[in-house]
Amino acid sequence: MASLSAEERNLGEWARYQRRFEDQLNAYQRARLDVSPAFEWDPLEALWRARFIECLSFVQANRRLPRLHADERVEFVLARWLGRQMQRLQTGRLDQKRTDELQGLLRFSRHR
């Protein structure tokens, strides 16, 4: 947070407040937040979803899973993320929806 400007910190605090008191917002306020490209109700889920889509796009384009020892930074980042998800899958720490999506990605990569 120290690297963020005061304005960015204030916007982050405002967004956190909106999430915390979602049940007190009226329908118009919720709808406005829903259509805002800069607001996520669940930022961690949005980040997971974005990484998953990046992995899926990588597999579609390259016909293989990303490799951890890749020279390309993007591929390395995706491989590291995928490895963490696989570890969570093996230890039972991945929820069912994510488990299903990850297993679908793995099946898709094998059939390419």
Side-chain angles (χ1 to χ4, degrees):
M1 279 187 65
S3 64
L4 297 176
S5 69
E7 182 180 1
E8 288 175 308
R9 280 195 302 277
N10 289 338
L11 286 173
E13 289 298 321
W14 177 86
R16 187 174 310 138
Y17 181 86
Q18 301 309 310
R19 288 184 203 98
R20 189 175 304 136
F21 296 103
E22 176 185 4
D23 58 334
Q24 296 175 12
L25 300 175
N26 64 40
Y28 175 75
Q29 290 169 320
R30 280 192 301 278
R32 291 291 305 245
L33 289 170
D34 285 341
V35 299
S36 172
F39 183 83
E40 291 288 344
W41 288 107
D42 187 347
L44 294 177
E45 176 63 25
L47 181 60
W48 194 94
R49 178 94 19 244
R51 284 284 193 248
F52 178 78
I53 290 169
E54 289 174 28
C55 272
L56 182 58
S57 296
F58 181 90
V59 170
Q60 290 171 337
N62 298 283
R63 301 179 183 266
R64 63 176 174 79
L65 292 172
R67 296 180 184 144
L68 191 56
H69 298 291
D71 292 333
E72 223 178 288
R73 177 164 167 63
V74 172
E75 182 177 358
F76 176 79
V77 168
L78 290 175
R80 192 173 58 190
W81 178 86
L82 187 57
R84 286 193 304 265
Q85 301 316 306
M86 295 297 295
Q87 184 179 32
R88 288 183 180 124
L89 177 65
Q90 290 174 342
T91 58
R93 295 182 298 138
L94 203 59
D95 69 44
Q96 191 59 50
K97 182 180 178 191
R98 289 181 179 181
T99 295
D100 294 343
E101 290 176 318
L102 195 58
Q103 288 175 339
L105 174 68
L106 295 174
R107 279 191 302 275
F108 179 76
S109 71
R110 281 187 228 125
H111 296 292
R112 298 294 298 176

